[in-house]
Amino acid sequence: MFSNVNKQFLVFMFFLLLSGIFWLIITLNETYEKDIKIPARVIGIPKNVVLTSVPTDTVRVTIRDKGWVMMSYLYTSQLGTIQIPFKNFDRGRGTGVVGINDLKRMIEQRLEVSSKIIAVKPDHLEFSYNNGECRRVPIRWAGRVIPDQLYFISHVEYLPDSVDIYASREKLDSIRAVYTEALNYVNFRDTLTVECQLAHIDDVKIVPERVRIRFHTDVLTEETMSNIPIHCINLPEGKVLRTFPRSAKVHFVAGVSQIRSLRAEDFKVIADYREIVQNHKEKCNLYLREVPNGVSRATLDTKQVDYLIEEE
């Protein structure tokens, strides 16, 4: 019984396979239209020329032909890469253009005789270059980098800290910094090291294109700095302003490692003589004019003090 069943099953599978082959032959013999992407690359670039546009572009070609020909285009390397000779399409002044007729001619050389090009997009390719003119600019990070609560970014280290850019003279003069692609890192505590790509700028070549960035963190803490001297501004010669008390106190938030190195002289508290003369009040106002980098939420403990103006 089992032997008979096996024979029937094998016969069934044979005819199923045979019908599948016939169906495939009929299907592949039909005519199809298909969009195929073909890379294009500029070749033969002189040694004194730097290509500032993307060296490899992509051409999307709509081709009509039999199914079996389409299969060879899609699953083999028959079409390869379109090679664009630099000297043939250089228009001078830092640009080169390949028109649609030239693109079609280059593509047709790779196609079977039976294939027909229906459309080519884009209708032309452009490339830009310069003769080695470059400028070194700093790197800046972009995006969302937020440490965990009670932590803050105390220092950002770039490796390298700057890059060389190659572009036209106008663009070289206008670019002040190169930014990274948008970063997205949150809720970290320890030093964060990121290797990232620099953001693309049209017709600008950036060397190197990838950099490493370290975000150093520190713990936020509240602190108070006392004995900060009070300075008087706009004080005429022969006048002396004495305040009571003579020094101020500042409350602020900063990193633990930074607090150890802070001094009273790093803060600047002032009183304005002109304001005192105009107001004629018993107390003068104090203003916090300068705080060290990395210090936040700095406020004076007392914003008004008694004073005395004396003649020297």
Side-chain angles (χ1 to χ4, degrees), residues 286-304:
L286 298 181
Y287 300 96
L288 182 59
R289 280 290 174 87
E290 294 180 9
V291 297
N293 291 330
V295 170
S296 61
R297 287 183 275 175
T299 58
L300 287 167
D301 181 61
T302 301
K303 296 184 178 180
Q304 289 186 329

Side-chain angles (χ1 to χ4, degrees), residues 91-138:
R91 291 191 173 183
R93 297 185 179 181
T95 61
V97 179
V98 185
I100 188 169
N101 292 330
D102 293 311
L103 285 175
K104 284 184 176 181
R105 176 177 51 80
M106 295 177 186
I107 297 169
E108 286 173 349
Q109 293 174 355
R110 303 165 182 272
L111 299 179
E112 299 290 341
V113 178
S114 58
S115 299
K116 183 178 180 181
I117 297 176
I118 305 301
V120 177
K121 295 181 181 180
D123 57 5
H124 69 282
L125 292 180
E126 295 183 7
F127 59 88
S128 57
Y129 65 91
N130 75 1
N131 295 107
E133 294 180 342
C134 70
R135 179 183 176 188
R136 198 159 186 82
V137 295

Side-chain angles (χ1 to χ4, degrees), residues 2-259:
F2 287 106
S3 177
N4 187 37
V5 171
N6 289 338
K7 289 180 180 179
Q8 292 179 1
F9 178 74
L10 291 175
V11 170
F12 170 78
M13 291 301 297
F14 171 76
F15 284 104
L16 179 63
L17 178 61
L18 190 62
S19 61
I21 294 173
F22 281 118
W23 172 84
L24 182 61
I25 293 173
I26 294 172
T27 301
L28 292 180
N29 202 42
E30 296 289 335
T31 301
Y32 298 91
E33 288 185 7
K34 185 69 176 178
D35 286 343
I36 300 176
K37 294 181 179 180
I38 307 176
R41 176 178 291 272
V42 180
I43 62 171
I45 303 172
K47 292 183 178 180
N48 63 331
V49 169
V50 177
L51 208 63
T52 56
S53 58
V54 179
T56 302
D57 209 333
T58 301
V59 179
R60 192 174 67 184
V61 186
T62 304
I63 301 174
R64 178 187 295 165
D65 207 334
K66 300 291 186 180
W68 58 271
V69 179
M70 290 296 187
M71 291 285 288
S72 66
Y73 292 155
L74 292 172
Y75 299 107
T76 68
S77 58
Q78 179 176 344
L79 296 180
T81 300
I82 301 173
Q83 296 183 341
I84 302 172
F86 178 88
K87 65 179 181 179
N88 293 355
F89 300 97
D90 175 24
R91 291 191 173 183
R93 297 185 179 181
T95 61
V97 179
V98 185
I100 188 169
N101 292 330
D102 293 311
L103 285 175
K104 284 184 176 181
R105 176 177 51 80
M106 295 177 186
I107 297 169
E108 286 173 349
Q109 293 174 355
R110 303 165 182 272
L111 299 179
E112 299 290 341
V113 178
S114 58
S115 299
K116 183 178 180 181
I117 297 176
I118 305 301
V120 177
K121 295 181 181 180
D123 57 5
H124 69 282
L125 292 180
E126 295 183 7
F127 59 88
S128 57
Y129 65 91
N130 75 1
N131 295 107
E133 294 180 342
C134 70
R135 179 183 176 188
R136 198 159 186 82
V137 295
I139 301 168
R140 297 289 181 264
W141 68 273
R144 184 168 171 260
V145 181
I146 304 173
D148 200 3
Q149 290 184 355
L150 301 181
Y151 286 78
F152 77 108
I153 298 173
S154 60
H155 174 60
V156 180
E157 183 182 4
Y158 299 91
L159 302 170
D161 61 356
S162 56
V163 293
D164 292 326
I165 58 173
Y166 296 82
S168 63
R169 175 52 54 188
E170 293 77 10
K171 289 210 170 189
L172 289 178
D173 293 337
S174 64
I175 298 174
R176 295 288 177 264
V178 174
Y179 290 84
T180 66
E181 292 184 342
L183 305 178
N184 186 20
Y185 297 92
V186 296
N187 298 331
F188 59 93
R189 295 186 176 185
D190 298 328
T191 298
L192 174 67
T193 301
V194 178
E195 186 172 341
C196 57
Q197 186 83 16
L198 297 177
H200 173 71
I201 306 175
D202 290 340
D203 297 329
V204 176
K205 182 179 179 63
I206 303 174
V207 180
E209 296 179 344
R210 297 184 66 85
V211 296
R212 184 180 291 112
I213 304 177
R214 290 198 182 108
F215 295 93
H216 297 270
T217 59
D218 200 355
V219 180
L220 283 173
T221 185
E222 294 185 1
E223 188 59 63
T224 300
M225 181 70 69
S226 304
N227 299 320
I228 299 174
I230 299 173
H231 302 276
C232 183
I233 63 172
N234 300 319
L235 187 68
E237 291 186 7
K239 300 281 187 180
V240 176
L241 176 69
R242 302 191 187 279
T243 61
F244 306 95
R246 294 185 177 181
S247 60
K249 185 185 295 185
V250 175
H251 304 287
F252 60 91
V253 174
V256 172
S257 60
Q258 184 181 15
I259 289 175

